[in-house]
Amino acid sequence: MAKGFQGKILKVDLTRLSVAVEERSEYFYRTFMGGSAMASYFLLTEMRPGRDALGPENVLAVTTSVLTGAPLAGANRYTLAAKSPLNDGFGESEAGGYFSVELKKAGFDALVIKGRAPRPVYLWVTDGRAELREASHLWGHDSGFTQTAIREELGDAKIQTAVIGQGGENLVRFASVVHDLRHSNGRSGMGAVMGSKNLKAIAARGRLEVEVHDKDKLRELTSYFARNMKDHPVCAVLKQGGTLGWDMEDLDSDGVLPTRNFHGGSFDKVESVTFEKLKATVSAGRRTCYACPIRCKQVAGGGKFAIDPQYGGPEYETSGAFGPNMLVDDIEVIAKAHELCNRYTLDTIDTGMVIAFAMECYENGLVDKTDTDGLDLRFGNGEAALALIPKIAFREGFGALLAEGSFRAAAKIGKGAERFAMTAKKQAFPMHEPRGKNNIALAYALSPTGADHIEAAHDMPFEEGRWAVPDLYPLGILKGVPARDLGPRKVRWFVYNQHVYSLLNTLSMCFFTVGPARLFRLKHIPEMVEAMTGWETSLFELVTLGERTTTLARQVLVREGLGKKDDALPDRLFEPLDSGRLKGWKLDREAFAKALDLYYEMMGWDVETGKPRPARLHLLNIADLDQFS
Ligand code: SF4
């Protein structure tokens, strides 16, 4: 067996309440390595096309990677992937924390979960063993209750759990899975997939160390990170204020802070929703993920809403969605919204965005108080937003409509509501403005999951003359590209950056610690993989793996009937921004269409359909997936 892996994959059949262990060759492990690529492989090979995302035949893949458990800052993420109940094609979501390390130490590189249990269960994996346990007594309870009960039942407070609350049980299409109550697999509705399978939680604890090729090299990389962290701009800013401190004011001054459901790019009350404001009100400390000295994870507690600190605190995405994008200027509302979403397991981005969508419908007279259970849904009403969160989780009243996500809710409301749904492939936009950073326009349109801000690096630090441009030299990108540009140089830039980000999702690494403009640079990635496995690898092999990852996900999408027609953006992006430094800017339809066609050509995909061509699949060694089984 290859070093760096456990060599075991757990197959779980919930319908039969059975588990089985499978072993794979080193060839398999070197081709996919973990995370996103391995998950897509299982979706392609273990699931038949056209199945219901919320039916028993959907497959939920849970994958760690070759680097999971290495003592490297950021080597702590894991992937959940399945057919998405939001886009009915491909769903995937990563989270950091500690769960991945416990899962791998429990003896498994991946879990492949099928079927639907006849009654609620949870999966318990430890030291090479796996068992499905009764969870009827946990059903109907929130994530905090569930985690505490499982730890007490199994008698170990160090057990790591990935659980669903009522949002997942009630099949909210954007339900999340929450690990340790503070780390979310937020996107793509993976919580609803678990709920549809009657799977309340996965609990992991292990003591099985993975064999490592070169521990001294790993120590050297760790000490490099610790030595240089304080001088690196991204590490320093994250250490100071987390993602909230990094993004909120910078994006506002750049004119790319989504405001009033993506009408504008600047919020006139931004100082009310900054990290400094959080620090002065309901900040309750800072937490971290496995082996990471940055400690960027906020904790909030107390305040006028009695925020429970066990659920962590708001990241920038949550703050943007419940703050400027719905014109809310109260950081305590934002922190409470974060708590409620993690408690009930709802994606904070989709939840905030569907509420902003509802506010725009309300202000335009498409819905009124008779529809909204009496709530006054004007923009800026934070307490109404808080009241809607449990309604969505429990599918009560107006919440039942919003639980379908903005795209489907718009179709049901009709009357032109579709123009207020800011989604791509039916998934809501994260808090980054595509008109001001055009790489994000490509990312939202082309990500296999739908709108996703972690599809490639963001434009600003890579403009000509900016500090991060040299980080792209190893990819052969020798000049910066303007943020607002959709020409061939930008498309090439996007393609290579997408390969790198897909690679990071496959190696299950935190994109704040490694990659372009990060302290762990591109040259360190082969060093990490080599230190774990002993393989003589290269940036070439690994960037190709990144492309393989993107293409595998595209294969899943295409198989489910999605393609070029779905690589689209809402009309609003082709209309001018109405506030901020970039007021008046919009995307050019023709330039965007040309950029997509060029992207397909560069990726070796058919320009008419957006389907990967056979030659590219052969080049990436995935034309015949049977060879890996
Ligand atoms: S940078 Fe933040 S999110 Fe990434 S591993 Fe470190 S603490 Fe976790």
Side-chain angles (χ1 to χ4, degrees):
M1 183 62 250
K3 291 175 182 169
F5 296 97
Q6 293 288 17
K8 290 190 167 49
I9 288 153
L10 185 74
K11 297 280 194 69
V12 180
D13 185 333
L14 290 169
T15 305
R16 293 189 170 83
L17 296 177
S18 66
V19 295
V21 176
E22 188 179 277
E23 298 193 3
R24 293 289 180 125
S25 66
E26 184 162 345
Y27 184 73
F28 167 83
Y29 278 105
R30 186 150 185 173
T31 305
F32 300 107
M33 292 199 199
S36 181
M38 198 180 279
S40 290
Y41 168 82
F42 287 126
L43 297 195
L44 281 167
T45 56
E46 300 276 344
M47 183 168 65
R48 284 184 290 167
R51 305 295 135 167
D52 180 359
L54 296 175
E57 291 177 285
N58 198 357
V59 170
L60 178 66
V62 186
T63 50
T64 67
S65 93
V66 59
L67 296 179
T68 304
L72 299 167
N76 53 49
R77 287 167 76 80
Y78 69 104
T79 296
L80 292 184
K83 183 169 180 174
S84 164
L86 267 179
N87 69 20
D88 284 320
F90 176 80
E92 175 191 328
S93 190
E94 275 77 25
Y98 301 82
F99 178 82
S100 62
V101 179
E102 285 303 329
L103 177 58
K104 196 162 170 185
K105 283 187 174 176
F108 301 104
D109 301 306
L111 314 173
V112 180
I113 302 171
K114 297 179 182 178
R116 174 186 285 146
R119 57 186 180 279
V121 295
Y122 72 90
L123 176 65
W124 164 227
V125 290
T126 182
D127 295 341
R129 302 188 310 277
E131 147 186 24
L132 288 163
R133 296 177 65 101
E134 179 68 39
S136 297
H137 58 301
L138 305 174
W139 205 255
H141 288 286
D142 64 29
S143 58
F145 177 95
T146 303
Q147 173 169 280
T148 302
I150 289 174
R151 285 177 172 169
E152 282 175 1
E153 191 169 303
L154 296 172
D156 186 346
K158 292 187 174 166
I159 285 169
Q160 295 297 329
T161 63
V163 310
I164 58 166
Q166 295 90 339
E169 292 177 11
N170 293 320
L171 310 184
V172 175
R173 286 186 186 270
F174 46 88
S176 63
V177 177
V178 172
H179 146 53
D180 206 13
L181 311 185
R182 296 174 289 115
H183 306 275
S184 288
N185 301 85
R187 314 283 0 238
S188 291
M190 294 298 102
V193 174
M194 277 181 65
S196 74
K197 294 183 172 305
N198 269 336
L199 179 63
K200 180 70 177 171
I202 304 168
R205 178 91 167 104
R207 296 159 196 84
L208 303 175
E209 294 295 339
V210 170
E211 196 182 353
V212 171
H213 170 70
D214 188 347
K215 286 187 177 165
D216 287 342
K217 182 66 188 177
L218 291 177
R219 272 192 282 271
E220 184 188 315
L221 286 163
T222 301
S223 113
Y224 155 82
F225 198 92
R227 264 196 331 273
N228 293 290
M229 197 174 70
K230 69 178 186 331
D231 299 322
H232 191 272
V234 171
C235 295
V237 80
L238 282 171
K239 194 161 184 58
Q240 169 68 22
T243 54
L244 180 56
W246 185 11
D247 280 327
M248 187 64 80
E249 285 166 294
D250 279 0
L251 296 183
D252 187 68
S253 60
D254 284 339
V256 288
L257 179 69
T259 304
R260 199 167 62 91
N261 200 23
F262 279 80
H263 275 284
S266 177
F267 183 40
D268 56 4
K269 296 177 181 161
V270 70
E271 71 285 347
S272 308
V273 293
T274 59
F275 165 67
E276 292 304 325
K277 193 71 180 179
L278 185 81
K279 207 164 85 173
T281 53
V282 290
S283 177
R286 195 72 71 79
R287 300 288 293 269
T288 191
C289 305
Y290 167 82
C292 186
I294 294 181
R295 298 182 67 81
C296 80
K297 312 298 287 184
Q298 304 288 349
V299 180
K304 63 188 175 196
F305 299 116
I307 297 159
D308 184 342
Q310 70 173 332
Y311 293 96
E315 301 284 345
Y316 162 71
E317 295 299 327
T318 309
S319 307
F322 281 90
N325 201 49
M326 55 175 82
L327 300 187
V328 167
D329 61 355
D330 186 341
I331 195 76
E332 296 192 42
V333 166
I334 291 168
K336 186 65 181 180
H338 165 87
E339 181 222 290
L340 293 175
C341 286
N342 276 18
R343 179 187 290 277
Y344 299 126
T345 63
L346 300 174
D347 177 33
T348 58
I349 297 174
D350 262 285
T351 306
M353 284 293 287
V354 79
I355 294 172
F357 157 80
M359 287 175 166
E360 191 164 2
C361 289
Y362 184 85
E363 291 210 344
N364 283 277
L366 274 57
V367 294
D368 60 27
K369 280 189 182 172
T370 61
D371 303 297
T372 66
D373 310 325
L375 289 171
D376 174 13
L377 280 188
R378 274 176 295 186
F379 277 112
N381 190 347
E383 301 216 1
L386 291 180
L388 270 177
I389 296 172
K391 283 177 172 291
I392 292 170
F394 289 88
R395 282 186 175 269
E396 284 174 5
F398 192 54
L401 177 69
L402 302 188
E404 292 292 291
S406 314
F407 184 91
R408 287 177 173 83
K412 284 192 179 162
I413 292 169
K415 300 179 261 185
E418 293 85 353
R419 66 188 190 279
F420 304 151
M422 300 303 290
T423 62
K425 294 188 184 73
K426 303 177 187 169
Q427 178 161 269
F429 277 19
M431 293 302 112
H432 299 275
E433 171 52 65
R435 282 165 285 193
K437 30 184 185 176
N438 292 169
N439 194 47
I440 293 298
L442 295 173
Y444 287 2
L446 290 163
S447 163
T449 57
D452 180 7
H453 60 296
I454 310 173
E455 189 66 13
H458 294 204
D459 307 60
M460 304 306 195
F462 301 97
E463 293 193 293
E464 188 58 20
R466 301 285 294 268
W467 65 279
V469 174
D471 280 29
L472 298 177
Y473 291 173
L475 296 173
I477 298 174
L478 305 180
K479 283 189 170 179
V481 183
R484 293 183 298 287
D485 173 33
L486 281 167
R489 281 176 56 212
K490 174 58 71 66
V491 179
R492 173 175 179 261
W493 186 97
F494 174 78
V495 166
Y496 283 132
N497 274 274
Q498 188 184 36
H499 292 350
V500 170
Y501 270 55
S502 292
L503 173 65
L504 297 180
N505 277 344
T506 283
L507 299 179
S508 307
M509 287 295 290
C510 174
F511 47 88
F512 294 147
T513 61
V514 59
R518 302 295 184 258
L519 182 49
F520 277 138
R521 299 163 68 88
L522 292 173
K523 69 173 185 177
H524 293 119
I525 303 177
E527 293 177 18
M528 293 172 184
V529 174
E530 205 158 315
M532 285 299 280
T533 60
W535 297 333
E536 183 183 340
T537 185
S538 63
L539 192 58
F540 173 80
E541 181 184 10
L542 295 172
V543 171
T544 303
L545 171 57
E547 182 182 355
R548 183 177 301 127
T549 302
T550 307
T551 307
L552 282 163
R554 186 72 177 188
Q555 287 287 81
V556 179
L557 267 186
V558 166
R559 188 188 65 175
E560 299 300 327
L562 284 80
K564 179 175 181 175
K565 66 183 184 339
D566 304 290
D567 298 336
L569 295 173
D571 287 345
R572 179 158 299 165
L573 297 187
F574 303 94
E575 296 160 6
L577 278 162
D578 72 6
S579 68
R581 193 168 70 79
L582 300 180
K583 186 175 174 181
W585 274 94
K586 59 180 181 175
L587 289 182
D588 180 272
R589 269 190 203 279
E590 197 181 335
F592 177 67
K594 276 188 185 165
L596 289 190
D597 284 353
L598 186 57
Y599 171 85
Y600 302 137
E601 290 280 16
M602 286 183 180
M603 291 292 287
W605 299 359
D606 186 281
V607 176
E608 297 304 315
T609 62
K611 183 177 173 183
R613 292 196 193 104
R616 201 69 191 179
L617 297 178
H618 282 293
L619 191 67
L620 296 170
N621 197 25
I622 49 174
D624 174 13
L625 290 176
D626 287 345
Q627 66 183 309
F628 303 104
S629 52

